[in-house]
Structures are given as structure tokens and as C-alpha cells.
Amino acid sequence: MIRYSFQGLPFLLKYADMVDSPDSEIREENLKVSKKSSFRTKIFPGPKNSPVIYLQHGMSNRGINDPRILTLAKHLKNTGATVYLPELPEVKGLEISEDTVPNIRALFQEIVKREAQAISFLSASFSAGMGMVALSGKEEQKNLKSALLVGTYSDFADTLPFILSNYEIDPYAVHVLLYNYISKLQPKLSKLEEFYFEAALDNGLKRTGEEEKSSKLLKKLNQKEKEFVHSVQSDPGFRMGLVGPILSVLPPNFILRNSPKNFLSDWEAPIALLHGSDDPVISPDESEQLFDSLGNGKEEYKVILKSKLITHGDHLPFYTQLGEIPKLAGLWGFFLKKSGL
């Protein structure tokens, strides 16, 4: 992997603001994938006949307006790619949904059709894992040049307890989980769904002070609802006791159909797995499990890096971990090279 460092270093220097990465032209349109479905999409046009990257946002209420993903798209465009950045309404709405896998697959197929070439895929967290499921079919593999998955998961059933065990470090993912499933776990505690949605937004949007909404909603909860919130906040045993109930209310075969580990037999495309070594939301062990299970038979077609330079959704200042830069440059260089850049 380190041999690709020269290819990836200019990209990282853009991220570090050490190399100019000018603002890009951005087109926005509704990308139609069927007679009934279309998706708001930002397109960063690269040079004529440039490689194409499908960049999928993660579970952020900002969707494709999230400054982090817009910065990434700009840097990829300035590296020579055409970048498609579609918005998935259910992911933007913080919903863990069975719609995400078919939506990603449909968008991938439409971009391939429009561009008349094989393309690459880049995403993070749950969107990355669901993207891996979506693109694991033989037809998608033929049209996938390269994939980079950041902080992704292997088995949804393993991810749940890990998320709940790290509430004190990063409550965002717990709030998202409870927003999705509290109405089925505790249907009588009717105000908790809104509470956990706003609590997740407070975390994700970094709302504090007067802008914070969950603290105001907390005052309006009844006694049993307040007791539930307090138990989640203060009792690790109570939180871990929610794993079984959440698993029991998932749609039938949800874990089977949405866990990447079950969709590796036909995977042949080059793939890079990047995971924060101290990721509090999804364990880096999950990326390692995926890497070890990939059986494409060509070791040069898969790379993995656990890095101290990234957390779950953000990277740390590069000067804090100078020794990590060559390895990170190598991983990005691998992805860019395999993408045709």
C-alpha cells in the first residue's frame, strides 16, 4: 500500500490546506432512477472523459449540504474526477431503512448509464456498509472500478452492542438508534421518539445553549419517559439490556439483508477499508473482519488501514500524527489509482 503514497499525498495536502484546492463548479439536479423515484444530486464536473466517483453521504441531517462531504467532493474533483453526490432522504432523516440498499444500487446503475463507463464508490459508516451490500452483485461488480469504505461495519448485529457500549464517548449513534426503534420498544412512551430525534440533531449539528432542543423537550416528558432517558444516560447495564429488544423489533431478515459480511462471494473490485483505530461508533474490528473475508484472490486488490488520524466521521489535524501520513496517503493513493486518477 505504501507504494501508492506518492499518488495520495497531493490529495492529503489539499485536505491540510497546504495545496490550493479552489472552489468547484457545482451543478444540482434531480437524478431520476425510475418513473417514480429521483434524488437531489450535486455534480462536481471534472475534465472531459474524467474518472467518475459516486460519493454517498452518511447519516447527517445536513445531507449533501454537510460542509465535510462538500469539501471532500471538491478535493476529489480537483484531483481530476467527476463527482456525483446524491442525497438519500431516509439517511438524511436519520432513518435506518431497508430502502437504502436498493436506492444506492439504483443510483449507481443510473450514474454508470449516464457516464457510459465503470465508476468508483466512496462512503462512510452505515452508508458505506449498505453501499457494499448494494454493489456486491455481479452486474454492479463489472461496473465498479474501486471502492473506499470509511469506518464501516461487517455485521449489523455486532454493531448494535458496540454503539450502546460507547454512549459516554459518542452518544450520537445511540440517539439515532433509539429514534428509530423507541416507538416499538416503548410504544406507551410516546414523546421519546421526538426527544431522541432532536437529541441526535443536537449532537450532529452541535446545537448548544438556546439552540439545543432536547433539553427543552426533556422538561415536557412524563415521569416514566424521564426515567427511561435517565437510565440510558447513567446505566451501562440498562443500555446493554436494549440490544436484544432492538434486535427483536428489526424487520424480518434485516440483519441478513443489510450486513456486508453476507455479500462477499462475488466481490472482485479493488477495495480500500479505512477505519479510525479509536472509532467509538463502529469497531475497527469490523473492517478487519471484512478484509479477512474478502476472497477476490488478489491481495493487491484490497488494502486496509486503521489510523489514529480519524475518529468516526472526522479527521484530526495532520500535525498530531505525522507518522500516520505516509500510510494514509498510501491508502488514498490506492483508491485514486484504481479509480483511474
Side-chain angles (χ1 to χ4, degrees):
M1 180 174 68
I2 202 72
R3 68 181 185 272
Y4 296 101
S5 295
F6 181 77
Q7 185 83 14
L9 188 58
F11 176 81
L12 290 189
L13 292 176
K14 292 182 179 72
Y15 247 125
D17 293 324
M18 297 178 70
V19 171
D20 185 43
S21 188
D23 289 337
S24 168
E25 173 195 353
I26 305 174
R27 300 199 314 265
E28 186 170 315
E29 61 181 87
N30 287 321
L31 197 61
K32 194 171 184 179
V33 301
S34 70
K35 290 182 179 180
K36 296 183 179 180
S37 298
S38 62
F39 298 86
R40 179 187 173 214
T41 302
K42 291 182 185 291
I43 302 172
F44 296 68
K48 186 178 180 180
N49 300 321
S50 60
V52 178
I53 297 175
Y54 168 9
L55 176 61
Q56 183 57 63
H57 68 87
M59 200 163 277
S60 165
N61 191 249
R62 292 187 174 101
I64 60 175
N65 289 327
D66 190 321
R68 296 171 300 177
I69 202 159
L70 290 172
T71 298
L72 175 55
K74 178 183 75 170
H75 294 332
L76 289 169
K77 187 265 183 186
N78 288 333
T79 303
T82 290
V83 181
Y84 281 75
L85 175 57
E87 186 166 81
L88 298 181
E90 76 282 1
V91 177
K92 182 177 185 290
L94 310 186
E95 297 174 18
I96 300 171
S97 171
E98 292 184 288
D99 294 336
T100 302
V101 166
N103 283 344
I104 291 175
R105 184 181 296 119
L107 282 160
F108 178 84
Q109 292 170 343
E110 179 60 26
I111 297 168
V112 167
K113 180 181 176 182
R114 284 171 58 117
E115 294 291 333
Q117 62 172 296
I119 67 173
S120 296
F121 178 78
L122 168 57
S123 190
S125 192
F126 288 103
S127 294
M130 291 189 170
M132 191 173 192
V133 173
L135 306 183
S136 61
K138 291 183 179 180
E139 189 63 30
E140 287 72 33
Q141 285 291 295
K142 285 195 304 183
N143 290 309
L144 180 63
K145 292 184 75 171
S146 181
L148 171 53
L149 310 181
V150 183
T152 194
Y153 69 100
S154 172
D155 187 339
F156 195 79
D158 291 337
T159 304
L160 280 175
F162 187 82
I163 288 172
L164 290 163
S165 70
N166 283 291
Y167 178 85
E168 289 91 349
I169 303 173
D170 191 335
Y172 176 74
V174 175
H175 292 158
V176 170
L177 276 178
L178 291 175
Y179 160 62
N180 277 270
Y181 301 118
I182 194 64
S183 63
K184 295 179 179 179
L185 296 177
Q186 297 286 348
K188 293 183 179 180
L189 306 183
S190 59
K191 295 179 183 177
L192 287 183
E193 184 174 297
E194 181 186 9
F195 170 80
Y196 281 116
F197 179 71
E198 295 297 344
L201 292 186
D202 286 343
N203 296 140
L205 301 176
K206 295 179 171 57
R207 298 190 306 210
T208 58
E210 283 300 310
E211 292 184 347
E212 185 178 284
K213 294 186 178 181
S214 60
S215 57
K216 297 172 185 175
L217 289 173
L218 181 61
K219 298 175 182 177
K220 299 178 181 180
L221 301 180
N222 65 36
Q223 188 58 35
K224 288 188 176 180
E225 290 164 342
K226 288 179 180 177
E227 289 174 359
F228 184 93
V229 172
H230 178 73
S231 295
V232 169
Q233 292 175 338
S234 62
D235 188 344
F238 181 84
R239 289 195 297 272
M240 297 309 294
L242 296 173
V243 174
I246 291 175
L247 292 175
S248 71
V249 300
L250 292 174
N253 296 318
F254 180 88
I255 293 173
L256 177 65
R257 291 197 298 262
N258 291 279
S259 293
K261 76 168 192 175
N262 300 319
F263 296 88
L264 302 180
S265 60
D266 292 325
W267 192 279
E268 295 181 352
I271 184 169
L273 299 168
L274 174 61
H275 215 119
S277 55
D278 298 317
D279 189 332
V281 178
I282 298 175
S283 170
D285 293 344
E286 299 221 35
S287 282
E288 285 192 333
Q289 290 166 14
L290 284 177
F291 182 81
D292 291 340
S293 299
L294 282 164
N296 56 20
K298 300 177 181 178
E299 290 301 314
E300 69 271 20
Y301 271 33
K302 61 177 185 176
V303 297
I304 186 171
L305 175 63
K306 292 194 295 183
S307 176
K308 296 177 181 178
L309 266 172
I310 64 170
T311 55
H312 182 67
D314 299 289
H315 66 78
L316 300 176
F318 289 167
Y319 66 80
T320 64
Q321 299 288 341
L322 293 176
E324 295 285 299
I325 293 176
K327 293 180 288 184
L328 190 59
L331 182 130
W332 274 102
F334 170 91
F335 171 69
L336 296 171
K337 182 73 172 178
K338 299 299 184 185
S339 296
L341 292 163

